[in-house]
Amino acid sequence: MPQSSAAHVTAAEISRIAGVTRATVSNWRRRHDDFPSPSGGTESSPLYDLEAVQAWLAARGHTTSAGPREEFRTALRLHAQGGAADGTALLPLVLAASRHAPDDLTAFTELTDGDLAARAAIEAEALADTVPGADALRFAPADGAALRALLRCVRDEGGQAALAVLAERELEDSAASGTYQTPAQLADLAARLLPRSVRRVLDPACGSGTLLEAAARRGATELYGQDTLAVQAQRSAVGLLLATPHEEITVRDGDSLRADAFPGLTVDAVLCNPPYGDRDWGHDELAYDPRWAYGVPARAESELAWIQHALAHLTPGGWAVLILPPATATRASGRRVRAELLRSGAVRAVVALPAGAAPPLHVGLQLWVLQRPEPGGAERKSVLFIDTAGAAAGSAPGRPAAATRTGSARNPLNWTALSARTLTHWEAFATAPDDFTGEPAVARAVPVVDLLDDVVDLTPARQVRSSRTDIDPAELAARADTGRRELTEAAQSLVTAAGPTGWVAAGSSAKEWRTATASDLARGGALTLLRTVPDPKTPDPKTPRADGGAASSPVTSVLTGTDIARGSAPSGDPAELRAEAAPVIAAGDVLVRAVAGGTGPMVRVADEPDTGALLGPNVHLLRPDPTRLDPWFLAGFLDSEDNIAGASTGSTVLHVAPGRLRIPLMPLEEQRRYGEAFRHVHALRAEARKATRLAEEMAGLLAGGLTGGALIPPPPPPGSSTADSS
């Protein structure tokens, strides 16, 4: 049988294990004499023996609601108390475990601690050719509890779930300045800027491998990655091999600029989100490096070194997309290198992203699209500049970019709109650059000769700025009238939604109910829990689905967590889902965002526009039995801040465990009464968001029109005077 050493947990960890609030644990400590006494820690922060706590919970019939993922998190927290290997050493074992059948993993969990540690070392060594540093890993009997938790997590929830748990901790002891994770939406946009013909892709600062995964989803079959942090290289290799097991994957660790792991390799494309602001990138020792074909980068210009490193690895005509800070486009120390890049035709486009699109969130980053010049190739006379400020907040085409405040708390980024506008302009420019007409204040093709001045400023906002002759005052005035009418109608609808009156106090104290977790209700048949697993391959949208959903016609939309937060129609791309594992949404389904935080609602009830859409990978679906649960009652209580907080786990990113959400137990008639009230609250919030959005757009339109000279202030009302009456 397994031999486990004593493990200690805090009161907060007990609450997560039991699926209750911390206040409930405090009540247990005060009211039950048989609750386990502290076995360590301090008076203000006591520690309890884990086995004693689990035995106490079992004796009271309080089964844990923590799934394998949460149990793995708990095991990692406890692992620091006595484990021989740190949590990141477990990364290669996620891949090793994923290659075994579930029965094999169950058998491994029954080994003794010593035998399990020895087996883990053998499994890690077998990955020496695919995961950097795996052959050097060693494990001890003290690692037994963490190893078993990892095996159970992989067996029950898959390798990606275990990898996500380890990723929450991986950089705590290896923080590096300028190192940030690339959001999946941004990685997807960067990959979609590449031609479909791309097959060999390199990321010389691959981090967690997000960009390479995006390239694989677009058809790349050979993926190469390198990262200076060994733990990042390991995570990238494991994640890519889990997500794209049939592709050729090579990942190495080391500093790409100082010690390139792929000398002589040329690829079709480079995708990269390099470190920013690194003054110790190797300026002195690399002064005569042959990669600097466009000029030696200054010490403060590490980003220009990464650009030239990327170009050096491309075949003639190959493409690169880099995510860079805005200073790269303007710093005086980089002027000469930027000028040479322009003269050679290497710079094809610069896209400005709104602040909040990617870490660091306070900076509006840029996408640089580059192409290695071809000997004897066509002359590239212009560069495309795109400012995505207007598209990011979902403003309608034709409205000025100033009409919304992108990335604000009121308007979360609309990646669908941002990507669509960017790709539309890029594809039009790439197809016929000499005929590109652009969009005022959003996209413009600028002749290279106009950029080669004393500054060589490649900032999109500066280059797309419209002149006053581009503005039609009559059209802008008409938009202002239309905007005012829409805003007035929205304000009237908001007043209507504020009723009815007659809300009744519950009494001298708040009502309390007996509650059950969603897992309990699912076991009792009152509801069904469904989720979607993302797949890197392009699915056949006519493939029959596991939930029995209709498959006779292609599904054209996917409901995402962003759609729930924004209250918008399904907008995701079905090409990113495995068709047979993606449930089809039905009217009355209750949809919960999988990641807590941000703005906007966490929950919504599926209505007619949602019906028939696929469930996105970051959304949980709870399908209630209508004879036992009212969907609006269910959604209202699930959307409670306390409920979401109690079911969320993680440190920087909070993942909602749907099975831990709690629902009051009450008769169906009373549920329906609450459901109607929650339906009213939903309508009120929707009208408030609409009125706020229209007000922001109207204010931005008027301000831009007044400052741009297209609008003048309206005349004063009859009988009033603007003169000084003194």
Side-chain angles (χ1 to χ4, degrees):
M1 293 296 293
Q3 303 166 351
S4 301
S5 56
H8 295 86
V9 290
T10 65
E13 287 164 340
I14 294 174
S15 71
R16 285 190 283 266
I17 292 170
V20 298
T21 64
R22 294 182 63 178
T24 300
V25 176
S26 297
N27 286 334
W28 287 344
R29 293 169 54 193
R30 291 195 304 268
R31 295 170 55 188
H32 298 284
D33 294 336
D34 61 340
F35 189 82
S37 300
S39 55
T42 64
E43 184 175 350
S44 60
S45 182
L47 296 174
Y48 301 86
D49 181 87
L50 176 59
E51 291 186 359
V53 169
Q54 291 173 329
W56 187 86
L57 291 171
R60 293 182 57 82
H62 197 111
T63 57
T64 176
S65 64
R69 193 183 310 212
E70 178 57 29
E71 290 178 355
F72 187 28
R73 287 192 182 93
T74 300
L76 288 178
R77 289 192 291 268
L78 302 176
H79 189 245
Q81 301 174 13
D86 63 29
T88 58
L90 301 175
L91 279 166
L93 295 183
V94 174
L95 177 61
S98 298
R99 294 179 171 179
H100 285 281
D103 290 344
D104 293 339
L105 299 181
T106 299
F108 293 156
T109 63
E110 296 171 354
L111 296 173
T112 65
D113 286 348
D115 289 344
L116 183 57
R119 179 73 193 195
I122 294 172
E123 294 283 345
E125 189 172 0
L127 298 174
D129 293 336
T130 54
V131 181
D135 56 333
L137 297 177
R138 296 293 180 268
F139 301 93
D143 302 316
L147 291 171
R148 287 190 188 86
L150 182 151
L151 294 172
R152 286 191 287 267
C153 186
V154 173
R155 180 192 64 193
D156 297 343
E157 298 198 34
Q160 291 289 2
L163 185 63
V165 173
L166 287 169
E168 295 173 0
R169 301 170 55 90
E170 68 179 6
L171 291 178
E172 289 180 1
D173 299 323
S174 348
S177 175
T179 300
Y180 304 100
Q181 181 160 347
T182 307
Q185 301 97 324
L186 177 55
D188 180 68
L189 174 57
R192 292 173 70 184
L193 290 167
L194 299 175
R196 271 289 192 180
S197 59
V198 163
R199 292 293 177 266
R200 294 157 52 88
V201 180
L202 166 70
D203 185 348
C206 61
S208 60
T210 310
L211 285 163
L212 290 174
E213 282 192 40
R217 288 194 294 270
R218 295 283 292 170
T221 56
E222 294 182 38
L223 307 174
Y224 302 88
Q226 183 173 355
D227 199 274
T228 187
L229 296 177
V231 64
Q232 287 283 59
Q234 284 187 353
R235 181 191 172 190
S236 183
V238 172
L240 288 168
L241 287 163
L242 287 173
T244 59
H246 305 298
E247 315 304 351
E248 182 179 329
I249 297 166
T250 307
V251 179
R252 299 286 181 260
D253 58 358
D255 187 330
S256 290
L257 294 182
R258 287 189 172 94
D260 189 355
F262 303 103
L265 173 70
T266 56
V267 293
D268 303 325
V270 173
L271 289 173
C272 189
N273 185 1
Y276 310 143
D278 181 12
R279 299 181 68 87
D280 186 28
W281 57 269
H283 173 268
D284 293 337
E285 58 262 49
L286 299 175
Y288 299 101
D289 195 287
R291 288 172 292 183
W292 314 147
Y294 305 91
V296 179
R299 190 182 302 277
E301 296 288 351
S302 63
E303 295 83 7
L304 293 178
W306 285 103
I307 285 176
Q308 296 190 74
H309 176 79
L311 290 169
H313 272 291
L314 293 174
T315 59
W319 296 86
V321 179
L322 278 74
I323 303 167
L324 300 170
T328 309
T330 61
R331 270 192 302 248
S333 55
R335 179 181 61 84
R336 292 185 178 179
V337 174
R338 289 197 300 272
E340 288 304 314
L341 289 168
L342 288 170
R343 290 190 183 97
S344 70
V347 181
R348 301 301 310 278
V350 181
V351 181
L353 301 170
L361 298 177
H362 65 286
V363 176
L365 299 176
Q366 296 174 352
L367 286 168
W368 283 47
V369 183
L370 304 123
Q371 187 176 20
R372 182 167 179 172
E374 301 173 89
E379 182 183 3
R380 297 162 189 164
K381 302 177 182 179
S382 60
V383 175
L384 174 64
F385 293 92
I386 304 175
D387 186 354
T388 65
S395 62
R399 283 180 178 160
T404 51
R405 292 178 180 271
T406 61
S408 69
R410 295 174 183 166
N411 293 299
L413 292 181
N414 183 346
W415 277 102
T416 301
L418 186 154
S419 299
R421 181 167 290 183
T422 300
L423 293 169
T424 296
H425 289 308
W426 166 244
E427 290 165 4
F429 174 80
T431 302
D434 294 338
D435 299 328
F436 182 77
T437 56
E439 181 181 351
V442 175
R444 180 178 172 225
V446 181
V448 169
V449 67
D450 292 347
L451 298 170
L452 295 172
D453 54 18
D454 293 338
V455 181
V456 194
D457 188 343
L458 304 186
T459 304
R462 179 184 295 273
Q463 300 299 336
V464 304
R465 187 175 299 157
S466 300
S467 66
R468 296 194 176 194
T469 58
D470 294 333
I471 302 174
D472 184 346
E475 181 183 353
L476 199 60
R479 288 183 192 164
D481 287 339
T482 300
R484 181 183 182 281
R485 184 177 65 255
E486 292 176 350
L487 178 57
T488 301
E489 292 172 354
Q492 292 171 345
S493 297
L494 180 59
V495 171
T496 301
T501 59
W503 296 94
V504 182
S508 59
S509 61
K511 291 190 67 172
E512 295 185 3
W513 303 277
R514 285 193 310 115
T515 63
T517 65
S519 290
D520 293 334
L521 294 175
R523 283 191 289 268
L527 59 81
T528 303
L529 294 172
L530 298 171
R531 67 188 183 97
T532 291
V533 178
D535 187 80
K537 303 300 182 187
T538 300
D540 179 356
K542 294 186 179 181
T543 303
R545 305 181 196 285
D547 69 339
S552 59
S553 60
V555 178
T556 58
S557 61
V558 175
L559 186 106
T560 68
T562 300
D563 296 329
I564 295 176
R566 293 176 54 85
S568 59
S571 63
D573 184 357
E576 297 179 9
L577 301 180
R578 192 171 66 214
E580 68 275 13
V584 177
I585 297 171
D589 287 345
V590 178
L591 308 158
V592 183
R593 287 162 52 195
V595 178
T599 59
M602 286 289 300
V603 181
R604 93 177 185 201
V605 178
D607 54 13
E608 188 63 31
D610 299 330
T611 302
L614 294 182
L615 183 71
N618 292 316
V619 181
H620 300 297
L621 188 153
L622 289 78
R623 180 166 291 165
D625 178 348
T627 65
R628 300 174 63 182
L629 280 175
D630 180 83
W632 281 100
F633 158 83
L634 179 63
F637 279 101
L638 293 182
D639 204 20
S640 158
E641 291 185 11
D642 290 342
N643 208 356
I644 294 294
S648 299
T649 58
S651 51
T652 56
V653 178
L654 298 178
H655 295 273
V656 177
R660 295 178 58 181
L661 293 164
R662 306 194 75 87
I663 300 98
L665 301 176
M666 61 177 68
L668 186 59
E669 276 305 310
E670 190 173 1
Q671 290 182 35
R672 288 170 177 163
R673 183 180 172 190
Y674 275 90
E676 281 302 313
F678 283 127
R679 190 194 296 265
H680 164 76
V681 171
H682 168 78
L684 179 61
R685 284 175 169 164
E687 292 297 338
R689 287 195 300 271
K690 179 180 178 181
T692 299
R693 175 179 59 81
L694 290 173
E696 290 280 2
E697 291 181 0
M698 180 68 175
L701 187 147
L702 293 176
L706 290 168
T707 58
L711 297 178
I712 59 175
S720 65
S721 174
T722 57
D724 185 356
S725 60
S726 62

